[in-house]
Amino acid sequence: METDEGPASTSTAGTAARVRAVIADAGVSQREFARRVVMDPSKLSRALSGTRRFTVAELARIADEGRVDADWLLGTRPRERETAPAVHVEGGRPLQIVRETVRLIAEHGFHAVRVADIARACATSSAAIHYHFPGRAELLEAAVRWCMDEDTTRRAAHLAEADDAAAELRQLIALQTPRTAQQRRQWAVWLDLWAEAARSTAVGRLHSEYYRQWRETVTDVLRRGAGQGVFRAGIDPHAAALTLTALIDGLATHVLSVSGPESATAADAMHRTLTAHVTHTILAP
């Protein structure tokens, strides 16, 4: 059988079994482990099932997270667990790298970020960055994926706390209003990737897929609210979601265009405008 990166073999099956052992020792779900090692969950699943090979960089990140020897994962050395991480950084070195990459993208723009800048921000060498992410393109894609996944996870957690769809919609509006430094950073990355989406680059296509998921989230909330009777009868969830997300995008772009005390005023105005729109066009009278 041909895989994404070469034919399947006994050695890949053994590596997959050892990676499963590392995930079991971590005591987390497969999806959460993929997030920790900054890996596409579907690629991890396929590698574990033997339909693709792990890349060297992926195994390096898995070894770093599991505090095991990468050669043990490959089956070329007995297992020797490290007594402590080589470098104490929150979440491990791969997550530190992607967090700093996201910060740098937000501050300087997607195309201005260099591997040397990321290494400097992580107080390490460019060689150490390439150990975990061989190429700049792979690193930037991993950073964007992590950024979007964090946004999705945060949104799901807040929606789970809401009592009904109307409360969910208010939560979504609050989460999408760029008030905090983290929200502004998330939006800065989001807006910078629109151009990548227009050029249909790999990262741009990833951005487009997450945007589709975001709009579907809004559509689902509107559909549930119509069923609960908290939204107007006869509302078209798809059309209403398109209008609301477009309004959020436009207003957020304006908020990010101002700085200092004016940014807080602009964020307040954005929130009031969105709330008024929902009240007059979506909520049941």
Side-chain angles (χ1 to χ4, degrees), residues 169-186:
L169 200 56
R170 286 192 289 271
Q171 288 275 25
L172 289 177
I173 289 173
L175 287 171
Q176 295 302 312
T177 303
R179 297 183 187 277
T180 67
Q182 181 183 25
Q183 288 172 319
R184 290 181 67 88
R185 183 163 55 247
Q186 197 90 7

Side-chain angles (χ1 to χ4, degrees), residues 38 98 101-102 105 110 138-150 186 189 193 203-204 206-207 210:
V38 201
V98 296
T101 303
V102 168
I105 291 173
F110 187 77
E138 180 184 355
L139 171 54
L140 293 176
E141 182 175 342
V144 170
R145 186 182 298 280
W146 177 83
C147 185
M148 301 304 183
D149 283 346
E150 287 292 293
Q186 197 90 7
V189 173
L193 292 173
V203 169
L206 178 62
H207 175 268
Y210 273 93

